[in-house]
Amino acid sequence: MNIVILSRNPELYSTRRLVEEAEKRNHFVEIIDPLKCDIIIEKEKPSIYYKDRYLDYVDAIIPRIGASVTFYGCAVVRQFEEMGVFTIASSEAILRSRDKLKSLQRLSKAGIGMPKTVFTNYSRDVEEVIEHVGGTPVIIKLLEGTQGLGVVLAESKNAAESVLEAFNGLQARVIVQEFIKEAKGADLRALVVDGKVVGAMKRQGKEGEFRSNLHRGGSANIIKLNSDELKLAMNAAKVLKLPVCGVDMLQSERGPLLLEVNSTPGLEGIEAATEKNIARAIITFIERSK
């Protein structure tokens, strides 16, 4: 097969691993920067032009679209879809997962457990917002944040009020969530491929850090998920229509609680923690789907 990885950085671990595993299985693989693609819209003949050629020979794509280029990146994915090319994540599913509010609304309706969450339109009544999620401490998140950026722990009402006022002043959209104390700065990442969990790790934030992101100095270890955690991960992927994704959740006294679903999960941390070949699982999923 001719497989294209849509990525702006060919040196990223995830991109390199996908190339490596695809080539081992005798596929032709290209890494293409989606921002350098021209989308040509013509009656009954959608096409994509890249550098000096038309990409009319592609069988499958693997989108590795960064959050900062979501709009154009998804436009390129959508054009490949119009051309009949298989993708491991549809443009609509990527957009849906990037919209934290929309995805939480969908997941909540589907009966998936999550921390109590409030979204408000620049509300000045901070006290009421805090009461909705059970009081302080609370987590305040930018709707567009990634890798733990734009996430603040407000331990008191005064702190929460200051943070919300600062974000309001910047006209930044935020959600407020209850703080799950018993999680102790750790979360779980389940990697789903073709509707099944192929690897899971527990990420622990460094001492004094409530965020567990590996990019922020956290550590990761392999973990065996219980039946409720497996069910949550697989259901979340199904609800958002993402055959390949990372599902982040917290362990709480009332069972697993979903944090978010990542449509382009990194492979480095989970392959290192689990010693499982996640990249190969993704390539074999493409083979089964074509």
Side-chain angles (χ1 to χ4, degrees):
M1 277 192 294
N2 295 318
I3 299 175
V4 160
I5 300 174
L6 294 173
S7 173
R8 301 202 66 207
N9 187 352
E11 299 305 316
L12 288 176
Y13 176 91
S14 301
T15 303
R16 289 189 287 106
R17 285 286 297 120
L18 288 163
V19 170
E20 183 180 314
E21 292 302 324
E23 289 180 341
K24 279 183 183 178
R25 300 179 72 85
N26 299 316
H27 300 299
F28 174 71
V29 192
E30 286 181 276
I31 301 169
I32 286 177
D33 183 345
L35 296 192
K36 294 180 179 177
C37 291
D38 293 332
I39 296 170
I40 300 173
I41 301 169
E42 186 179 354
K43 182 181 178 181
E44 297 181 353
K45 193 182 177 183
S47 57
I48 295 175
Y49 192 79
Y50 178 73
K51 292 186 175 179
D52 58 351
R53 63 194 185 281
Y54 289 96
L55 302 180
D56 54 4
Y57 52 86
V58 179
D59 298 305
I61 61 170
I62 302 174
R64 302 290 305 176
I65 306 295
S68 62
V69 297
T70 296
F71 177 81
Y72 197 82
C74 282
V76 172
V77 174
R78 190 181 307 115
Q79 189 76 346
F80 274 114
E81 291 174 287
E82 295 298 328
M83 293 161 59
V85 176
F86 175 78
T87 174
I88 67 166
S90 72
S91 56
E92 287 304 310
I94 295 171
L95 286 170
R96 197 180 299 122
S97 69
R98 293 280 164 84
D99 187 329
K100 285 190 178 75
L101 181 61
K102 183 184 288 186
S103 60
L104 287 176
Q105 287 173 312
R106 281 177 172 261
L107 293 160
S108 173
K109 183 180 179 181
I112 292 173
M114 60 187 66
K116 292 177 186 175
T117 303
V118 175
F119 175 68
T120 184
N121 189 36
Y122 306 130
S123 172
R124 299 298 176 187
D125 195 344
V126 175
E127 190 168 348
E128 188 175 87
V129 170
I130 292 170
E131 285 178 6
H132 283 316
V133 297
T136 54
V138 296
I139 301 294
I140 301 172
K141 294 181 179 180
L142 279 173
L143 283 177
E144 294 81 17
T146 61
Q147 297 180 354
L149 298 173
V151 181
V152 178
L153 170 63
E155 300 196 48
S156 67
K157 189 180 79 169
N158 286 341
E161 188 171 344
S162 297
V163 172
L164 285 172
E165 284 179 355
F167 281 139
N168 287 345
L170 295 170
Q171 293 192 332
R173 301 284 186 178
V174 299
I175 55 175
V176 180
Q177 286 186 325
E178 69 172 311
F179 177 62
I180 307 301
K181 183 179 180 180
E182 61 267 30
K184 298 178 181 178
D187 71 8
L188 308 181
R189 160 64 65 90
L191 209 301
V192 177
V193 177
D194 197 14
K196 297 179 181 179
V197 174
V198 296
M201 62 179 172
K202 184 171 186 176
R203 303 182 297 189
Q204 180 68 56
K206 63 183 180 181
E207 190 173 349
E209 173 62 72
F210 71 95
R211 292 165 292 188
S212 60
N213 305 73
L214 300 185
H215 294 86
R216 309 193 69 83
S219 58
N221 295 290
I222 189 171
I223 188 172
K224 184 176 181 180
L225 301 182
N226 63 34
S227 59
D228 288 341
E229 292 159 353
L230 286 168
K231 184 178 178 182
L232 184 150
M234 293 185 289
N235 284 347
K238 183 178 180 181
V239 169
L240 295 186
K241 298 182 180 179
L242 283 167
V244 177
C245 61
V247 179
D248 297 340
M249 63 190 108
L250 296 174
Q251 293 175 308
S252 80
E253 292 172 351
R254 60 183 190 266
L257 301 175
L258 182 131
L259 284 176
E260 66 178 325
V261 181
N262 190 324
S263 57
T264 53
L267 303 183
E268 185 170 10
I270 198 158
E271 284 199 335
T274 64
E275 297 184 352
K276 291 187 177 181
N277 194 330
I278 308 295
R280 183 173 62 195
I282 293 171
I283 299 302
T284 56
F285 162 60
I286 293 172
E287 293 170 347
R288 289 194 302 271
S289 302
K290 285 297 293 175

